[in-house]
Amino acid sequence: MTTSHELRVQPDWSFVFSHPAHFLSFGFGSGLFPKSPGTAGTLVAFPLYIWLAPKFTEAGFILLLIWLFSIGVWACQRTGRALGAADYGGMVWDEIVAFMLVLFFTPSGLIWNLLAFSLFRFFDIVKPPPIRHFDQHWHGGLGVMFDDILAAGYTLLCLAVVKSLL
C-alpha cells in the first residue's frame, strides 16, 4: 500500500469531490479519516447496507453487490491513476462493498455484527494467504477490490464455523 508522502496528489476534500470516481473510491470521504481509513470505510458499510438491503430481493441485492464491485474496479483504477498509486489506503470502496457482502450473510444481532466486523478487519489487515498474494501481485482497480472479497470470504467461513458450534 502506498503512503501519502509517495503520492502524485495529496488527497483532500477537494480531490474527493473533483470526480465521481474519487468520491466513490474514497467511500464518500471516509477514506480521508487520518487513522485507519479502512476501518472508517468498513463502518460506512453498516448504514449503507441498512439503507439498501430492504430495497432489494436477496438475488437483487447480490446483483447490486456485483455491480458495485464492478463500479469499484473502475473508480479505484481511475483514482489510483490520479494519485499515482495503485492501492492507496484511503481508497475504501473495496472495504465497503466486501463488508456489505459479509453483512448480507451475517445473522442478525449486535454480537454477530461485532464479530463480523472484527473478523473482517482482522483478515483485511493481516492478509493471510492467499489474500497477501493477490494484494501484492494484482494491481489496479481489480487488485484493490479483489483482496477484500477474499477477506470477506474468510470472514464468512469463520462466522459459519462459529454458528455451527452454537
Side-chain angles (χ1 to χ4, degrees):
M1 189 174 315
T2 305
T3 60
S4 59
H5 69 278
E6 303 173 68
L7 297 176
R8 180 179 312 143
V9 175
Q10 291 300 313
D12 57 13
W13 284 105
S14 174
F15 175 80
V16 167
F17 283 112
S18 70
H19 193 279
H22 307 331
F23 183 70
L24 195 63
S25 63
F26 269 77
F28 318 115
S30 63
L32 293 174
F33 199 76
K35 301 278 187 195
S36 305
T39 299
T42 304
L43 289 171
V44 168
F46 279 109
L48 197 55
Y49 176 80
I50 290 166
W51 179 63
L52 287 173
K55 298 179 184 323
F56 294 88
T57 64
E58 289 180 353
F61 191 77
I62 293 296
L63 290 173
L64 173 68
L65 289 176
I66 292 168
W67 182 74
L68 293 174
F69 179 91
S70 301
I71 294 296
V73 170
W74 164 78
C76 291
Q77 178 76 32
R78 180 159 180 123
T79 301
R81 237 183 291 127
L83 292 171
D87 190 1
Y88 177 65
M91 295 191 303
V92 297
W93 188 247
D94 50 339
E95 279 89 359
I96 294 170
V97 173
F99 194 62
M100 284 199 306
L101 175 66
V102 169
L103 290 172
F104 180 76
F105 289 105
T106 299
S108 60
L110 180 61
I111 299 300
W112 284 107
N113 284 328
L114 290 174
L115 180 59
F117 178 81
S118 299
L119 286 168
F120 179 75
R121 292 307 302 141
F122 172 79
F123 290 123
D124 189 35
I125 292 165
V126 173
K127 299 189 185 313
I131 299 171
R132 184 175 307 276
H133 170 80
F134 288 104
D135 184 58
Q136 292 173 343
H137 294 96
W138 282 23
H139 303 290
L142 182 59
V144 170
M145 296 296 296
F146 187 71
D147 69 302
D148 288 83
I149 293 298
L150 293 176
Y154 276 14
T155 300
L156 291 171
L157 182 62
C158 289
L159 291 173
V161 168
V162 170
K163 188 174 180 186
S164 74
L165 295 173
L166 297 177

